[in-house]
Amino acid sequence: DTEVTQTPKHLVMGMTNKKSLKCEQHMGHRAMYWYKQKAKKPPELMFVYSYEKLSINESVPSRFSPECPNSSLLNLHLHALQPEDSALYLCASSQDRGASEAFFGQGTRLTVV
Amino acid sequence: DAKTTQPPSMDCAEGRAANLPCNHSTISGNEYVYWYRQIHSQGPQYIIHGLKNNETNEMASLIITEDRKSSTLILPHATLRDTAVYYCIVIETSGSRLTFGEGTQLTVNP
């Protein structure tokens, strides 16, 4: 199984809502990542988890809160988002933090209204 | 990590070889060259990587110049499904920041 599964595929939320994005992999990878991608732009790194611990936070606003409950799961909790946070959110995993052959999910298309 | 420069767009005829260049003149000795691609509305996909030798796999070939300041990704027989944005990334083996530049939009035409 070489898949990274993200749910939901699409999400529409209001600015006062709380929602969560989920990511799952069963490849035994110990590094997991969240990226944000705006239309016609490259993916931008948000967070890196290594061995279930947050190792990199690219100065992401606190309205985005990552969580890694176990080695297979990665969540991104969303609260009080702004319309400009609308984007494709991509999850990825790799064997460890130093391995750059990453596997990406298909993303969650988030719209904030 | 070293910066890369890629042309913003390229066209290729179906069935012909697509040669995508990447300039990485500030690359250091412990940095690898990685290539990813992103088909519209999908997540990026790893293609190939190399240090200084040329590499080939079932998807593509990677040619790195002797001075390592540039490289070329070759898709030997491009198909319409190869239409995508191709990203060249230079990263240390221990680097954890897989950082994407603007990439090259490759359009394969029938």
Side-chain angles (χ1 to χ4, degrees):
Chain A
D1 181 3
T2 57
E3 276 195 6
V4 175
T5 304
Q6 290 188 245
T7 55
K9 287 187 170 36
H10 301 273
L11 178 62
V12 178
M13 63 184 289
M15 289 188 283
T16 58
N17 289 162
K18 286 185 182 180
K19 296 285 185 184
S20 297
L21 308 185
K22 295 187 184 306
C23 175
E24 191 167 1
Q25 58 88 12
H26 295 289
M27 294 178 277
H29 288 172
R30 303 316 298 263
M32 296 186 78
Y33 313 80
W34 281 114
Y35 284 81
K36 173 183 176 179
Q37 186 173 27
K38 301 283 276 185
K40 299 190 186 304
K41 290 293 187 183
E44 295 177 31
L45 183 64
M46 300 174 73
F47 301 105
V48 179
Y49 270 82
S50 177
Y51 289 83
E52 300 159 49
K53 289 191 182 349
L54 182 65
S55 61
I56 294 176
N57 175 342
E58 294 285 30
S59 303
V60 178
S62 60
R63 58 186 184 271
F64 295 91
S65 174
E67 179 199 20
C68 189
N70 60 55
S71 59
S72 300
L73 294 174
L74 186 66
N75 299 322
L76 186 63
H77 302 299
L78 315 172
H79 175 53
L81 295 195
Q82 303 297 310
E84 57 266 30
D85 296 320
S86 299
L88 181 68
Y89 287 84
L90 293 160
C91 174
S93 70
S94 64
Q95 193 164 23
D96 57 47
R97 205 181 100 163
S100 295
E101 183 181 343
F103 291 78
F104 283 80
Q106 296 303 298
T108 294
R109 177 78 57 192
L110 174 68
T111 303
V112 182
V113 298
Chain B
D1 296 325
K3 184 175 165 54
T4 62
T5 304
Q6 298 179 252
S9 64
M10 294 183 65
D11 283 281
C12 176
E14 189 177 18
R16 304 297 293 268
N19 297 287
L20 294 100
C22 179
N23 194 301
H24 32 78
S25 57
T26 61
I27 193 170
S28 60
N30 62 345
E31 289 181 316
Y32 282 71
V33 180
Y34 277 75
W35 284 83
Y36 280 76
R37 74 179 182 184
Q38 187 173 22
I39 295 169
H40 183 60
S41 295
Q42 295 185 22
Q45 176 190 25
Y46 164 83
I47 301 173
I48 198 167
H49 74 280
L51 183 63
K52 48 185 172 182
N53 297 324
N54 298 338
E55 302 288 343
T56 296
N57 64 20
E58 65 278 3
M59 287 184 69
S61 294
L62 174 60
I63 308 297
I64 303 173
T65 57
E66 195 167 338
D67 64 6
R68 302 210 322 122
K69 295 186 181 211
S70 66
S71 60
T72 301
L73 180 75
I74 300 172
L75 308 179
H77 305 287
T79 71
L80 299 179
R81 286 176 295 181
D82 292 321
T83 292
V85 179
Y86 287 77
Y87 296 102
C88 169
I89 302 168
V90 171
I91 188 166
E92 289 185 30
T93 52
S94 60
S96 57
R97 282 183 171 83
L98 188 60
T99 304
F100 292 83
E102 296 296 323
T104 296
Q105 170 66 60
L106 174 70
T107 302
V108 180
N109 300 302

